[in-house]
Amino acid sequence: MPLTVFNRLTRQKEEFKPLTEGEVKMYVCGPTVYDHAHLGHAKTYVAFDVIVRYLRYTGYKVRYVQNITDVGHLLETDEDRVIRKAGQLGLEPMEVVETYARSFFQDMDALNVIRPDISPQASGHIPEQIEMTQGLIEKGYAYVTDVGDVYFDVTKWPEYGKLSGRSVEDAQSERQIVGSEKRNSADFALWRHAEPEHLMQWDSPWGRGFPGWHIECSAMSKKYLGETFDIHGGGLENQHPHNDCEIAQSEALHEKPFANYWLLTGSLTIDGEKMSKSLGNFVTIKEALEQYRPEALRYFLLSSHYRGPIDYSDEALKAASGGWDGLMVGVQRVRFAMKDAPEDAAGSDFLETVEKRKQAFLRYMNDDFNTPQAIAELQELTTDVNRFLDQGQVVGMDVLTAINDAYNELGGQILGVVPETITIRTDLETVDPLLMMLIDIRSQARKDKDYARADAIRDHLSKLGIVLEDGPEGTYYRAR
RNA sequence: GGCGACGUGGCCGAGUGGUUAGGCAGGGGUCUGCAAAACCCCGUACACCGGUUCGAAUCCGGUCGUCGCCUCCA
């Protein structure tokens, strides 16, 4: 059962075949670090996190590169976003970059997003960008203006716009003539000249200046992944012009394909409108994590397909939290049963069910990373597990281990929503033995019909976010 | 206007030419010291209008509507 992916470039599902057997080279457009990341970023990077996790799970050696943009990303006003922020805060531009890059990684860590193998910064790759720009000038695809700007001439590259489905004429007509220095309205900057007071500038063959926004991705993917690589990812809203420009630059210069598979994620909306910094309707990841568990947030993001849109609302997040809770009930019941299960194969009939669910899960993941269906399958497994344990029969270690392994692999390793050990509060991570002692005391109290004491213990723990559940196989705890 | 995506039950959200997605909320039941959880049962959806077909929510055409992009955006 081969892995198929929807390739935005060809607009169809294709069997995934990497350039080198067993290896995947992947690049995803990263954030511009001038503010805290919001849930839109979370959607994109959680989606690619699961894609990388799954590729690795199925045996691929993956090199995952995701850039940090820290220079050259301009506002409508031609101001550099990072420099403007530095002015507002009275900081060096690189202090702004450092602050928000750290914030970004903190948020990603909290969301259990595995870090990319390389997180290159644009400002650290100026020579590479200059070299590519120089090459494009020499090949006649780019030209230098009187003031020292360098533009890519889209009319020299007829395929410009092929990812988003535009023709060069479309791209021309949709743009107003802004700078008289450009030959065509759709031409885009590879290099911009800088005035003396501009805070981030470097020497170049065309004078002091800084790179255009698009060239960094072409230059850094080339450096770390090669002229042609397997997967290029990013948010759908950057398809045009950004991704179209990347393709034009790289393919014009190298005369070979840039990325073989384009995987783009749908936008996250809030109240039906796209969440974005420009609209001011964004919820930062930090704000969302004050209200919801990171696992629930991941569960929410993965409960819609990566290519589709998803609308953020309290109802949707509560539903996702409830769904995650239900999953964890199954997980925790199994783990508690494992604490004193006999070392035998009792109940091994159930192994067939586990295997069936696992295969179905993997089948869905192989179909363009269909996480909503995969999650549904995990829920079905949980219903099976609960029904199984409700029978109250003795279940041997072999079977419990198999169930636990399935949860860890599918829900943990691949989706990243099932933690290896539940975290109640950070300051309570190692209290399992203490909780077990309390559960024992309470169980004795219940046997003695001292229900006041039993309930007091349960109430106290409840206030700490720990829920005790009395089931046929004994009492277990879980986080609320 | 151009390019692209999409319209599914109370809500969220998959999928598919004929067979139960799943979650949340709601109703009924079983279990239980109480609670909670779990399990069982219940709603029978697919924007609208045509067409293709033995049969379409699923394919084709059209209409209406929503959303994204069009040098701010993951």
Side-chain angles (χ1 to χ4, degrees), chain A residues 247-316:
Chain A
I247 292 173
Q249 294 159 352
S250 292
E251 298 195 349
L253 183 64
H254 304 137
E255 296 173 20
K256 57 177 76 161
F258 179 45
N260 287 141
Y261 300 91
W262 281 80
L263 273 44
L264 302 180
T265 55
S267 295
L268 181 134
T269 57
I270 179 164
D271 300 325
E273 271 199 317
K274 196 179 83 163
M275 181 178 290
S276 72
K277 288 174 187 171
S278 56
L279 290 172
N281 62 347
F282 62 92
V283 177
T284 65
I285 294 170
K286 291 185 204 319
E287 286 163 351
L289 286 176
E290 283 169 15
Q291 275 191 70
Y292 304 102
R293 302 183 58 100
E295 296 94 337
L297 219 45
R298 260 186 96 100
Y299 187 103
F300 163 70
L301 294 169
L302 295 173
S303 68
S304 84
H305 192 93
Y306 80 88
R307 276 191 282 123
I310 188 168
D311 196 57
Y312 178 82
S313 66
D314 279 337
E315 284 110 311

Side-chain angles (χ1 to χ4, degrees), chain A residues 108-121:
Chain A
M108 292 299 125
D109 289 349
L111 288 173
N112 199 16
V113 171
I114 297 170
R115 293 202 183 192
D117 299 299
I118 306 177
S119 301
Q121 291 185 208

Side-chain angles (χ1 to χ4, degrees), chain A residues 70-375:
Chain A
D70 59 359
V71 65
H73 198 174
L74 306 184
L75 292 155
E76 279 173 323
T77 56
D78 252 19
E79 281 177 286
D80 183 297
R81 318 160 106 72
V82 168
I83 293 176
R84 189 180 66 157
K85 188 78 173 191
Q88 288 168 351
L89 299 178
L91 297 172
E92 279 290 321
M94 279 298 142
E95 283 182 295
V96 170
V97 167
E98 206 54 45
T99 301
Y100 293 111
R102 281 182 204 173
S103 165
F104 175 73
F105 284 121
Q106 263 173 18
D107 292 344
M108 292 299 125
D109 289 349
L111 288 173
N112 199 16
V113 171
I114 297 170
R115 293 202 183 192
D117 299 299
I118 306 177
S119 301
Q121 291 185 208
S123 66
H125 296 76
I126 302 295
E128 289 86 349
Q129 296 179 75
I130 289 174
E131 191 186 323
M132 276 194 90
T133 302
Q134 186 71 24
L136 285 165
I137 294 170
E138 283 163 13
K139 282 203 161 191
Y141 290 109
Y143 56 92
V144 187
T145 68
D146 293 341
V147 294
D149 292 339
V150 184
Y151 290 102
F152 185 94
D153 186 340
V154 295
T155 63
K156 298 280 171 63
W157 182 254
E159 289 180 44
Y160 177 73
K162 67 178 175 182
L163 180 67
S164 69
R166 286 166 170 77
S167 64
V168 173
E169 295 74 44
D170 287 338
Q172 297 279 21
S173 64
E174 74 194 15
R175 292 153 192 266
Q176 318 303 318
I177 302 284
V178 193
S180 55
E181 295 272 301
K182 284 189 196 179
R183 288 185 192 163
N184 312 286
S185 61
D187 290 352
F188 56 90
L190 298 170
W191 186 265
R192 296 287 296 270
H193 77 282
E195 301 302 328
E197 65 275 16
H198 194 90
L199 285 176
M200 288 192 282
Q201 51 176 286
W202 291 265
D203 283 323
S204 81
W206 321 286
R208 301 279 294 175
F210 56 91
W213 174 39
H214 312 298
I215 192 71
E216 60 172 274
C217 289
S218 287
M220 297 192 294
S221 62
K222 176 185 185 177
K223 176 161 185 170
Y224 299 113
L225 301 175
E227 294 180 352
T228 301
F229 54 93
D230 299 300
I231 296 175
H232 193 305
L236 191 57
E237 70 281 340
N238 273 336
Q239 187 181 31
H240 183 82
H242 182 63
N243 297 153
D244 278 331
C245 293
E246 286 179 73
I247 292 173
Q249 294 159 352
S250 292
E251 298 195 349
L253 183 64
H254 304 137
E255 296 173 20
K256 57 177 76 161
F258 179 45
N260 287 141
Y261 300 91
W262 281 80
L263 273 44
L264 302 180
T265 55
S267 295
L268 181 134
T269 57
I270 179 164
D271 300 325
E273 271 199 317
K274 196 179 83 163
M275 181 178 290
S276 72
K277 288 174 187 171
S278 56
L279 290 172
N281 62 347
F282 62 92
V283 177
T284 65
I285 294 170
K286 291 185 204 319
E287 286 163 351
L289 286 176
E290 283 169 15
Q291 275 191 70
Y292 304 102
R293 302 183 58 100
E295 296 94 337
L297 219 45
R298 260 186 96 100
Y299 187 103
F300 163 70
L301 294 169
L302 295 173
S303 68
S304 84
H305 192 93
Y306 80 88
R307 276 191 282 123
I310 188 168
D311 196 57
Y312 178 82
S313 66
D314 279 337
E315 284 110 311
L317 259 294
K318 277 184 189 131
S321 297
W324 181 80
D325 272 343
L327 198 57
M328 289 309 291
V329 166
V331 172
Q332 284 297 90
R333 284 183 75 177
V334 171
R335 288 178 182 169
F336 271 69
M338 287 171 79
K339 283 176 191 275
D340 56 3
E343 293 287 344
D344 60 30
S348 60
D349 286 356
F350 191 69
L351 290 174
E352 200 181 315
T353 302
V354 176
E355 188 57 23
K356 195 186 77 188
R357 294 294 181 201
K358 181 174 167 179
Q359 289 311 318
F361 180 101
L362 297 176
R363 221 166 30 242
Y364 289 127
M365 288 302 290
N366 271 334
D367 180 15
D368 196 27
F369 312 105
N370 193 333
T371 56
Q373 284 283 33
I375 286 176

